[in-house]
Every structure is written in C-alpha cells, then in structure tokens.
Amino acid sequence: MKKHTRVLSALLGLLMLCGIFAACRTGGGDKPGSGGTETVPQTGNYVADYLPDGKFEGRTFTVANFGDVRSFDISQDDATNTFDKAKYQRNQLIEARYGMEFAENLIASGYDECYTAYMNNYQSGEYAFDVCKNIMRNAWLAVVGGAVVPIEKLEYCRPDQEWYLKYVNEELTINGTLFFAYTYEADTVTRALCCVFFNKKMAEDNTKLENPYDLVKAGTWTTDKMFEMAAVGRSDVNGDGKMSIDDDVYGIIAEDDQYVPGMWIGAGMKMIEKDSDGSPYLSAAGNERFIDILNKTFDAYMDNGLLFEGFTQRGQVYQTIVDDNRSFTENHSLFYMGGIYQWEAMTDMQDDFGVIPLPKYDENQERHYARVCDGHANCVPVSNPDLKFTSIILEALAVESLNIVNPAYFEDAIENRYLRDPEESMEIIKMLQKNIIVDLADSIWMTTGRQIIVDAFRNESKTFASTLDKYAPVINKQIANDVEKIIEIIDKYGL
C-alpha cells in the first residue's frame, strides 16, 4: 500500500483534532489588521443548536450560479469522487431534515455575466432564486448597487460561529455591517488559498538547494531566499543561450496577478488597510516597506529566466493558467505559485512536488500568510420573499460543509494523490488556513488597486512610489464613494 494511503486515517484524525477545518479566526498575534488565531475547537461535530426544527413542505431552495461547476444539482450517479460525494451527502441530509430540495440555476457562463443577470433580476423585482453566487468583487458591486440583503436581516445566520471564515468576513464588514458572508460552504475560498509548489526532485538533486520544508520550519523561508533558490534552480537546458518554457527550467512559474499581490501579501502587507474606526483607505502610498517588496519582486520579474510569467509570455486567457500548471508538472520550473486547488491538475506529474506558504518579508516576520481573492459569495436578493427560510438553509449548509465537505476535500486530495507527502503538506495547509489575508485592493477595489501595480510590472516600469502617489486620490475617492452608498443602504435598513 502506498504511503499516502496508509497515513490517510491518521492524518484525518489529526486534522480534526487540531481544528484545521475551523481555522481563519482572529485573536492575538501579528496578523495584519487584527492579529493571529483564536483557540481552536477540539471537535469536528459541529451543531447549530439555534436552528429551528420543522419541515418546509417540499419547498425548493434555488441557487443561481454560473459556469459548469455544480454544488447543489448533484445526483448520486454524478458523485464520482470523495469531494462530490460529500456535497451530495450534505445536500441529502439537509433536504431530509427540512423537507425541502435544492435546485441550481446556471444563469450565466461566466462571473461577469452572472453579475449582470443578478442586477437585471434586481431591476425587475422578480423572485427567481433564493441566493446567487457572485465572485467577491462583483458581490461588492451588487451591494453598492443596493441589490443585496445584509446578513443582519438573515435571522439564523450567525457570523460569529465557527463555520464562518471570520477573518475574510471581518475585512468585508463596513460600518459594522456585513452584506455577504463566507462560510465553509464557499469551497472556492478554502480550496483557493495561495501557496508555492516546489519540485521535490529538483530540490533534492541540486546540492546547492536547501529543503524548502526545513526553511519553513526554521523561519527562514523569505522573499530573498525564494529568489536566491529560483536563481540556482533555473537552467538553460539545451544551451542555446535563451530561455524557453518548452525546453528549459525556470526558477518560478506564475501569472502576474498571482505573483505580484502574492509577494506583498505573503510579506504580511496590504495595499488597503482600515483605520481605527474600521474605514478602509489606501495605506501603501508612502509605505517604504511596501515599496521595498515591490522593488524586489520587480527585480526578479526582470531577471532573465528567473520567472516565467504566463500572462505576459503566453497571453492573458484562462488557458494560460492551465498551460503554466502543465509546464510545472513537466519539470520546467523549480517553483510554481498558485491556489492549492491546482494540485488537482497535477496528478500526472512524474516527479513529486511539495506545498509551502508564500515567503515572508524577512526572518523577523513571525507568520506566513495565505492570500484569498475571489471566492464565490452567496448574495441574497432583495426580492427574496422568505428571508427566514433562506437564513436557515444557508446556516445549515455552512455547518454541514464544515462537518462533511471540507474534510472530504483533503481526504480526496490524499486518496487521489493530489498530495505527494500528506504529513508535511497538511501541516502547511493548517498554517495557511490559520493565517488568511484579504487585501481589499486585491479583491473589492481590484481595478483601481491591484491592477495599477500589475500594469506597472507589465509595462516594465519600476515606478511604484510615484504610481501609488498619483493614484492615491483616485483610489481613496472610489473607496469613499462606495462606503457612502453603503452607509445610505445601512440607514435604509435601520441597522
């Protein structure tokens, strides 16, 4: 029996004991904005004892969604892997408990089209679905447009409970009010934590390279160390004097919108912070530490063969991410930056890979951090006629996703060899889930925030300080305008 299969039961027991599936909570420590993590619960058998009993007489709970990813319209025959079986089991449990059924309505092929359809529905006032999935920045646009019911109006939704991704929701709270909340039902968050994959064989065969796991444990996995190792790991394999992704080995493969914010967020920084009153503002302008990490990241970006940046060197389409992933699995780089879900496309990789966090700014930084950007949020439309019913089902989904679905994803990862070294990798995943950062400039205000920095990289322009100074008034005005509209909506609801 293979090692990764032998350790399955022991690992899952360890993970539940350690509370890995209930991380992302706040408390003391050095987490930017709010500190580290709370005490972790010692059990995975979560129960929302405040949810009422009773049946809903065959009612349907309709989720509007986009693309071809289904979480609720899953039949027993469709549930072909551990992860989908868990979703099916969760849905069946809730349907039986409440005498209702789930329906999934794919209203668009992409996330922007889904947002348009959602807003069109809002304008019509028609009741077409109970909730709609929107990516974070589009969910925010819907909030600013007055089209989303605040969480406080959902009687049985309790964001202080363990099944909520508390730190993510903290960042999205404006003036004490939250309009959409992430729970463990949002696997697009729990599966998308940003990390660094590394080719274990390359690291072991090259005597000049240190063991990345040892560096993480020693607290020396830093930005400088990553770039140093990437420089050692790159190789002009065919000796033609130029680097090619099909023939040679790069130090790092990444897309620029993953690489650039990943480096500053891994360094424990945000482009947008909140003041003592909880109001967001652009904090990066004039921040020497922030400029320093951008300069280091840029120098590596411009160093020939150190980084293969897919969006610039292949073209900015989704297929680029697929191709970059494939290039890593075919041994064309030492490191690959991406979401943990990308291990799902690495099952054919012959050499083993490992998973480590984004690098720290320096050895004085106490923690490693995990970037989260665009998880799919449940937006409750203002046309929804039964908020009580909706809140009950949303809360039940949150609880049972933590109990059933989230553990199953990692079980599936081990069974299907997404993870090559479960003991070490799962310790890293535990670390990532405990130390999430959401930078509102990387998600909500991406266009006026992150994008101006990414564009500077694409234009090969090392002008970060002046760029931030130039755009600071624009960004802060956008933030102020959005917050003003949200406060008006909050007042309308009497919150």
Side-chain angles (χ1 to χ4, degrees), residues 27-313:
D30 73 334
K31 183 187 290 295
S34 67
T37 60
E38 290 177 351
T39 301
V40 178
Q42 297 301 306
T43 176
N45 299 316
Y46 298 95
V47 177
D49 54 10
Y50 49 85
L51 287 177
D53 297 324
K55 304 288 186 179
F56 287 100
E57 300 176 355
R59 286 187 55 180
T60 299
F61 184 85
T62 302
V63 179
N65 213 334
F66 60 89
D68 57 2
V69 179
R70 296 175 180 268
S71 294
F72 303 97
D73 189 12
I74 300 177
S75 70
Q76 190 168 12
D77 291 339
D78 292 333
T80 56
N81 61 46
T82 303
F83 191 40
D84 286 340
K85 286 176 182 176
K87 290 182 181 180
Y88 175 78
Q89 179 186 351
R90 174 201 65 191
N91 297 347
Q92 289 288 298
L93 184 154
I94 295 172
E95 287 179 340
R97 179 185 297 163
Y98 291 108
M100 45 72 67
E101 62 180 21
F102 288 105
E104 196 159 19
N105 182 8
L106 300 183
I107 62 174
S109 59
Y111 50 78
D112 286 335
E113 295 84 357
C114 185
Y115 164 72
T116 299
Y118 181 84
M119 294 306 291
N120 287 342
N121 176 261
Y122 165 65
Q123 294 294 337
S124 72
E126 177 186 0
Y127 166 55
F129 39 77
D130 296 281
V131 298
C132 179
K133 296 286 186 182
N134 279 292
I135 64 169
M136 191 183 294
R137 62 181 178 269
N138 286 347
W140 180 265
L141 291 176
V143 169
V144 173
V148 182
V149 175
I151 296 297
E152 197 166 333
K153 290 296 182 179
L154 303 177
E155 181 179 356
Y156 291 98
C157 291
R158 309 281 176 83
D160 61 336
Q161 298 297 318
E162 303 297 341
W163 32 92
Y164 284 80
L165 303 182
K166 295 181 181 179
Y167 183 65
V168 180
N169 295 330
E170 249 183 36
E171 286 300 300
L172 297 168
T173 299
I174 300 295
N175 207 41
T177 301
L178 185 64
F179 282 82
F180 55 89
Y182 285 99
T183 71
Y184 278 89
E185 183 270 328
D187 59 82
T188 49
V189 171
T190 55
R191 291 169 56 229
L193 301 178
C194 295
C195 66
V196 178
F197 298 98
F198 71 94
N199 186 304
K200 294 186 73 174
K201 189 174 188 303
M202 287 184 186
E204 291 167 359
D205 289 351
N206 192 325
T207 58
K208 295 180 180 180
L209 292 175
E210 299 169 77
N211 184 320
Y213 285 129
D214 290 343
L215 294 172
V216 174
K217 292 174 185 176
T220 55
W221 174 238
T222 64
T223 297
D224 289 342
K225 180 61 69 174
M226 179 177 178
F227 293 150
E228 173 190 318
M229 292 179 68
V232 172
R234 66 180 163 186
S235 175
D236 179 11
V237 176
N238 61 11
D240 64 357
K242 56 185 179 181
M243 295 295 291
S244 165
I245 192 61
D246 295 322
D247 301 317
D248 302 317
V249 176
Y250 284 76
I252 306 166
I253 292 178
E255 299 79 45
D256 56 19
D257 67 353
Q258 182 80 258
Y259 169 69
V260 179
M263 295 307 294
W264 86 59
I265 289 173
M269 286 177 269
K270 299 178 192 173
M271 194 171 172
I272 290 177
E273 301 270 7
K274 288 184 178 179
D275 63 22
S276 58
D277 295 325
S279 297
Y281 70 99
L282 180 70
S283 58
N287 184 329
E288 292 182 4
R289 187 179 173 103
F290 194 92
I291 301 303
D292 181 58
I293 193 67
L294 290 181
N295 285 336
K296 288 182 178 181
T297 303
F298 182 84
D299 290 344
Y301 181 88
M302 295 298 294
D303 190 342
N304 183 41
L306 190 70
L307 170 74
F308 180 85
E309 193 284 291
F311 280 158
T312 299
Q313 296 175 259

Side-chain angles (χ1 to χ4, degrees), residues 423-437:
E423 301 99 321
E424 292 178 296
S425 294
M426 288 310 300
E427 283 300 310
I428 300 298
I429 302 305
K430 175 182 176 181
M431 177 191 297
L432 297 181
Q433 289 199 337
K434 284 184 176 179
N435 295 288
I436 291 176
I437 288 184

Side-chain angles (χ1 to χ4, degrees), residues 245-453:
I245 192 61
D246 295 322
D247 301 317
D248 302 317
V249 176
Y250 284 76
I252 306 166
I253 292 178
E255 299 79 45
D256 56 19
D257 67 353
Q258 182 80 258
Y259 169 69
V260 179
M263 295 307 294
W264 86 59
I265 289 173
M269 286 177 269
K270 299 178 192 173
M271 194 171 172
I272 290 177
E273 301 270 7
K274 288 184 178 179
D275 63 22
S276 58
D277 295 325
S279 297
Y281 70 99
L282 180 70
S283 58
N287 184 329
E288 292 182 4
R289 187 179 173 103
F290 194 92
I291 301 303
D292 181 58
I293 193 67
L294 290 181
N295 285 336
K296 288 182 178 181
T297 303
F298 182 84
D299 290 344
Y301 181 88
M302 295 298 294
D303 190 342
N304 183 41
L306 190 70
L307 170 74
F308 180 85
E309 193 284 291
F311 280 158
T312 299
Q313 296 175 259
R314 294 191 199 269
Q316 193 172 354
V317 295
Y318 181 76
Q319 183 62 33
T320 296
I321 302 173
V322 176
D323 289 339
D324 287 350
N325 184 298
R326 174 183 51 77
S327 292
F328 174 74
T329 65
E330 293 177 355
N331 304 328
H332 289 293
S333 74
L334 173 62
F335 296 121
Y336 174 52
M337 294 178 66
I340 60 172
Y341 72 93
Q342 294 196 42
W343 62 34
E344 298 165 24
M346 297 180 184
T347 53
D348 292 334
M349 185 170 176
Q350 295 301 307
D351 292 344
D352 284 344
F353 62 84
V355 180
I356 51 177
L358 298 170
K360 299 189 296 184
Y361 179 79
D362 58 25
E363 294 181 19
N364 294 321
Q365 182 178 319
E366 293 185 12
R367 299 173 184 268
H368 286 282
Y369 297 108
R371 168 182 177 248
V372 163
C373 179
D374 272 333
H376 302 172
N378 288 318
C379 295
V380 177
V382 296
S383 59
N384 185 316
D386 194 341
L387 298 181
K388 178 178 179 179
F389 170 66
T390 297
S391 69
I392 290 170
I393 302 306
L394 283 177
E395 199 75 349
L397 281 168
V399 177
E400 302 309 338
S401 293
L402 178 54
N403 281 331
I404 300 170
V405 180
N406 201 52
Y409 178 65
F410 295 97
E411 179 182 345
D412 190 50
I414 297 169
E415 286 182 344
N416 289 299
R417 206 168 177 253
Y418 300 159
L419 290 178
R420 305 300 178 86
D421 51 4
E423 301 99 321
E424 292 178 296
S425 294
M426 288 310 300
E427 283 300 310
I428 300 298
I429 302 305
K430 175 182 176 181
M431 177 191 297
L432 297 181
Q433 289 199 337
K434 284 184 176 179
N435 295 288
I436 291 176
I437 288 184
V438 175
D439 186 346
L440 297 181
D442 184 40
S443 52
I444 299 306
W445 292 292
M446 181 196 77
T447 302
T448 51
R450 179 186 84 196
Q451 199 58 45
I452 66 169
I453 301 300

